[in-house]
Amino acid sequence: MRIEMLGSAAGGGFPQWNCNCRNCHSLRAGTVRGKSRTQAQMAVSDDGRTWFLLNASPDLRLQIERTPALQPRHGVRDSPISGVLLTSADIDQVAGLLSLRELQPLRVYCTPSLRQILREDNSAFGMLNRISEQVCWTDIKPGERFPLLNPAAEDSGLGCEVFSIAEHYPAYVSPERVAALARDEALMGVMLTASSGGRLAYLPAVPEVDDRLLTLLESADLLLFDGTFWSDDELIRIQGCGATAREMGHIPIAGADGSLRRLAGLRRPRKIFVHVNNTNPMLDESGPEYGQVQAAGWEVAEDGWQLNL
Ligand SMILES: [Zn+2]
């Protein structure tokens, strides 16, 4: 399996357009040892020809133009991108679908609840179905295993399993709609299995780690895990108000119940933090937090990384 890490930041990217926090300010000023990042986006392929996007970032058009494997090869209209797998309805995970509206056949995998939010409540996504040979919406359920198929229903070689991570829908979904949706279809984790047997776990948002999840992650060869916030009160300290990391659906990295400690026992997977918020101090590669995650055996994802399984 080939994995293209097109974007590694949380929503807003790094730097974020309206943010003047220490990280964003010093990156713009060129006074920090760190790298800019676009909003989280992965692309995966078993054969190097048929590609699937894991979510659809607002930065998707730029990310495709930076990545030769994802660019057209034949004729006037063409794309090696066969489909998109959505893990949540968050804006930074679905907005990029609107950049894929140019009448290209695509398969979009998501839970029935996510499909209802996008197709029934948000009419802009109707642009994905202007003609019959455009987006084929394919329902997936937590706990289900299925092959990733191209729009012509041919097997790509990648097997997929999704599992429910949390019951929280985005703030733009009305309370009335939330009440009618399945609670276990809000936020999914993904386990992909290549024809080689290699297993990739992708979890850009995880509020808590329980023992069931730990067991599942130990079966992965590569873990791309929620690295959004360093500490639970990170945004409150920087902005003077706001929500905790956990209230926003992200387990912090540091602290007694943070992900570094909770996942310290994992032996099998290579461990990489993704979806890193611009306020996270580990983005400063000279700082103690960056050193601490490296000493614990973790890497901090960067745009443009290419991984193989
Ligand atoms: Zn910032």
Side-chain angles (χ1 to χ4, degrees), residues 112-125:
S113 295
L114 263 55
R115 173 175 50 75
Q116 285 176 277
I117 292 169
L118 298 179
R119 297 198 68 189
E120 297 175 16
D121 301 350
N122 292 274
S123 58
F125 289 92

Side-chain angles (χ1 to χ4, degrees), residues 14 16 19-21 23-24 278-279:
F14 179 47
Q16 176 176 309
C19 189
N20 205 23
C21 75
N23 277 349
C24 290
N278 61 79
T279 52

Side-chain angles (χ1 to χ4, degrees), residues 172-192:
Y172 72 84
V173 184
S174 71
E176 297 75 33
R177 177 53 111 175
V178 168
L181 297 174
R183 294 162 66 98
D184 65 347
E185 294 183 3
L187 175 65
M188 315 301 291
V190 181
M191 182 75 78
L192 291 173

Side-chain angles (χ1 to χ4, degrees), residues 30-248:
T31 56
V32 69
R33 213 177 110 219
K35 299 176 184 73
S36 68
R37 287 167 166 82
T38 60
Q39 295 167 89
Q41 180 66 60
M42 305 295 145
V44 295
S45 175
D46 195 64
D47 60 8
R49 297 189 304 275
T50 303
W51 289 83
F52 290 86
L53 304 176
L54 304 183
N55 294 317
S57 148
D59 296 319
L60 187 54
R61 195 200 72 84
L62 168 72
Q63 292 164 334
I64 291 171
E65 289 308 312
R66 284 179 179 174
T67 312
L70 300 182
Q71 295 167 6
R73 288 164 296 195
H74 316 291
V76 178
R77 289 281 191 273
D78 175 61
S79 175
I81 298 170
S82 282
V84 184
L85 176 73
L86 301 178
T87 61
S88 81
D90 285 347
I91 297 283
D92 64 329
Q93 308 290 19
V94 303
L97 283 178
L98 297 174
S99 298
L100 302 176
R101 67 188 180 280
E102 282 86 9
L103 310 182
Q104 185 71 30
L106 288 171
R107 189 176 293 274
V108 174
Y109 291 95
C110 64
T111 61
S113 295
L114 263 55
R115 173 175 50 75
Q116 285 176 277
I117 292 169
L118 298 179
R119 297 198 68 189
E120 297 175 16
D121 301 350
N122 292 274
S123 58
F125 289 92
M127 293 298 279
L128 297 171
N129 290 99
R130 291 168 66 204
I131 59 172
S132 58
E133 294 85 26
Q134 203 173 348
V135 167
C136 174
W137 296 83
T138 303
D139 284 353
I140 55 178
K141 288 285 204 174
E144 203 173 81
R145 289 167 196 249
F146 51 93
L148 289 183
L149 307 177
N150 71 10
E154 295 161 341
D155 195 333
S156 69
L158 290 175
C160 187
E161 181 182 356
V162 292
F163 42 95
S164 182
I165 292 287
E167 302 180 344
H168 183 72
Y169 284 95
Y172 72 84
V173 184
S174 71
E176 297 75 33
R177 177 53 111 175
V178 168
L181 297 174
R183 294 162 66 98
D184 65 347
E185 294 183 3
L187 175 65
M188 315 301 291
V190 181
M191 182 75 78
L192 291 173
T193 305
S195 57
S196 66
R199 282 161 68 83
L200 162 67
Y202 185 55
L203 299 93
V206 182
E208 293 297 341
V209 176
D210 59 19
D211 291 343
R212 177 195 64 111
L213 183 58
L214 271 181
T215 303
L216 190 65
L217 299 184
E218 185 64 301
S219 73
D221 299 292
L222 174 61
L223 171 60
L224 304 179
F225 190 84
D226 185 345
T228 311
F229 296 112
W230 181 260
S231 50
D232 201 35
D233 62 349
E234 187 168 314
L235 282 188
I236 297 170
R237 275 188 293 112
I238 288 172
Q239 300 177 156
C241 61
T244 66
R246 282 195 170 85
E247 284 167 354
M248 296 178 70

